[in-house]
Amino acid sequence: MTTLVRGRGWARTHPLAVDAVLATAVLVCMVVGSFAEPYGEHGPTWGTRTPDAPSLLLMALGALALVFRRRAPWSVLAATCAASIVELLTGEPRAPVVMCAVIALFTVAATTDRSTTWRIGLVTMTGLTGVAMLSGPLPWYAQENLGIFAWTGMASAAGDAVRSRRAFVDAIRERAERAERTREEEARRRVAEERLRIARDLHDVVAHHIALVNVQAGVAAHVMDKRPDQAKEALSHVRDASRSALNELRATVGLLRQSGDPEAPTEPAPGLHRLDELVETFRNAGLPVEVALGQVGLELAAAVDLAAFRIIQEALTNVQKHAGQEATAEVSVVRVGPNVEVTVIDDGPGHEEADGERDIDGRHTGGGHGLLGMRERVTALGGSCTAGPRYGGGFRVHAILPVTTAKGGTA
């Protein structure tokens, strides 16, 4: 830390001491200036005149008032102007007491608004200059009188400039602090959104594949002794499902790697192009699934395509886990106006579908996060999602996703 920086810090924390030093310097300048004679025979001379006692008292009082210029700037300005007027009216020769009023006017201008600065500056300039011109032995156009007008005007202008600069610096500092806070909040929000997205993907992958593994393992254990061929087929499905789970988990975890990592996955995200493969895994697990895939039309954006796939995956997983062994499922993906509607229904008994209990509108009332993850995915894309029991038995999941083109424009 440099000496200048340390000095500024000390001045900020000790304003009264700084003002006392300034008042002392002003007093010294006024006393020294009072010994100068501007109208000597050979030009201005020094030491040819001596200030009288009242002038010295007025100078001391004016300098003392400057010590409190930051605490009471208006009172200090009034006191110094009064001392200056008294000196202009009675001093012979005049002492430069008006220097105190110039400093006080600068302080007022630096602490108030512009319109007030110019009003009080005009009043001070007019008052002090008028008294100086109308009193004393000097002619009204004397340089001392014009000097009072010039110095008070410059004090007002300098104080207003200092105030404007402080306001500008404060505005820049506030804008920078606000930008920093906004940047931190945005970073926290993005981190939270990314964590939530990865949690949804992990839930979808794990719930789907582990449910299939559980079903196939149960089938293998049940028919191991009587029908070993069917048990081998079930174990083969277990192996395929576990391999798919590992691959998707590896792809999801790869999102956590740094950009440019050569080990990060480069395969495309799952979407409706893998719908047949997804449905086939459920059929192999013993769940009859019918698919109605309408003319979706324009190619879906990656986020919409992924959301539709994950919704179908989670809904069929819930059917597999909760609808019973005799249940069947139907999946439909159709284009309706500017939206794509995804519907998954089953004809199982009147059960409380996956992830805890839900009411007829699909509101989450406890349990897991599957249907909640569906709603979060759809809401993030500006769509809507409802889930709930069907009249007469079964369960229905219905999602409306806005169609966007591959270029990002709304269809």
Side-chain angles (χ1 to χ4, degrees):
M1 181 181 295
T2 63
T3 304
L4 180 60
V5 174
R6 285 196 299 268
R8 287 180 178 177
W10 182 88
R12 256 188 231 103
T13 56
H14 301 82
L16 190 62
V18 174
D19 291 339
V21 172
L22 175 64
T24 303
V26 172
L27 178 60
V28 171
C29 292
M30 289 189 297
V31 172
V32 172
S34 63
F35 285 92
E37 174 57 58
Y39 297 102
E41 294 182 1
H42 303 287
T45 59
W46 185 84
T48 58
R49 68 175 184 174
T50 302
D52 53 15
S55 295
L56 290 174
L57 178 61
L58 290 174
M59 287 187 286
L61 291 177
L64 179 62
L66 290 180
V67 177
F68 308 98
R69 68 187 186 94
R70 300 194 200 190
R71 296 187 176 182
W74 289 95
S75 300
V76 171
L77 177 61
T80 53
C81 286
S84 300
I85 292 175
V86 170
E87 174 62 21
L88 292 174
L89 293 175
T90 61
E92 184 57 40
R94 293 174 178 173
V97 181
V98 73
M99 186 181 297
C100 297
V102 172
I103 301 298
L105 180 59
F106 168 83
T107 304
V108 170
T111 56
T112 186
D113 59 273
R114 176 165 295 174
S115 59
T116 304
T117 295
W118 290 116
R119 284 198 298 267
I120 193 63
L122 182 62
V123 171
T124 304
M125 286 188 296
T126 304
L128 294 179
T129 306
V131 171
M133 289 181 174
L134 297 177
S135 64
L138 298 176
W140 67 268
Y141 53 83
Q143 62 180 2
E144 288 88 345
N145 300 335
L146 298 180
I148 293 174
F149 181 84
W151 280 106
T152 50
M154 286 189 295
S156 300
D160 182 69
V162 170
R163 180 199 55 79
S164 299
R165 182 182 180 279
R166 288 174 181 171
F168 178 72
V169 172
D170 292 340
I172 291 178
R173 184 182 297 110
E174 181 184 359
R175 190 179 300 115
E177 292 175 354
R178 185 167 59 250
E180 185 66 23
R181 290 194 301 269
T182 303
R183 189 181 303 110
E184 293 176 355
E185 293 172 359
E186 179 68 14
R188 287 194 295 268
R189 184 186 64 82
R190 291 190 177 186
V191 169
E193 290 180 352
E194 185 67 11
R195 290 176 58 186
L196 183 61
R197 186 184 65 82
I198 294 174
R200 282 198 301 263
D201 288 340
L202 287 175
H203 174 274
D204 293 343
V205 171
V206 172
H208 166 60
H209 291 290
I210 297 303
L212 295 181
V213 168
N214 181 59
V215 172
Q216 296 290 357
V219 172
H222 181 69
V223 301
M224 180 66 71
D225 297 331
K226 298 181 179 180
R227 287 175 287 178
D229 293 339
Q230 188 175 354
K232 291 181 180 180
E233 182 180 357
L235 291 176
S236 176
H237 292 314
V238 169
R239 181 186 59 196
D240 295 339
S242 61
R243 183 185 298 112
S244 298
L246 289 175
N247 291 335
E248 292 201 30
L249 283 174
R250 186 181 299 111
T252 303
V253 173
L255 296 175
L256 299 176
R257 297 183 180 274
Q258 297 180 355
S259 60
D261 193 328
E263 297 183 5
T266 57
E267 62 180 12
L272 293 179
H273 63 279
R274 294 180 53 185
L275 182 59
D276 293 338
E277 177 185 344
L278 174 67
V279 170
E280 191 62 29
T281 61
F282 285 100
R283 289 171 178 166
N284 293 333
L287 175 64
V289 181
E290 297 295 332
V291 178
L293 186 61
Q295 294 296 326
V296 177
L298 296 175
E299 181 183 356
L300 299 179
V304 178
D305 197 20
L306 176 60
F309 179 84
R310 292 301 190 193
I311 289 170
I312 297 172
Q313 183 184 54
E314 178 62 25
L316 292 179
T317 301
N318 288 340
V319 174
Q320 180 72 49
K321 291 163 56 179
H322 301 280
Q325 298 181 355
E326 303 299 327
T328 61
E330 296 180 8
V331 176
S332 67
V333 181
V334 296
R335 169 76 178 275
V336 180
N339 303 314
V340 168
E341 295 191 6
V342 178
T343 306
V344 180
I345 60 176
D346 66 80
D347 58 358
H351 52 76
E352 293 294 341
E353 194 72 34
D355 303 302
E357 298 182 351
R358 300 193 176 255
D359 58 21
I360 191 64
D361 295 325
R363 291 187 292 268
H364 189 71
T365 60
H369 304 86
L371 295 180
L372 180 62
M374 291 185 194
R375 183 168 289 108
E376 289 173 348
R377 287 182 182 276
V378 175
T379 303
L381 297 174
S384 62
C385 179
T386 58
R390 297 171 59 201
Y391 179 76
F395 202 82
R396 177 178 182 268
V397 174
H398 180 68
I400 301 176
L401 300 171
V403 175
T404 55
T405 65
K407 295 182 180 180
T410 302

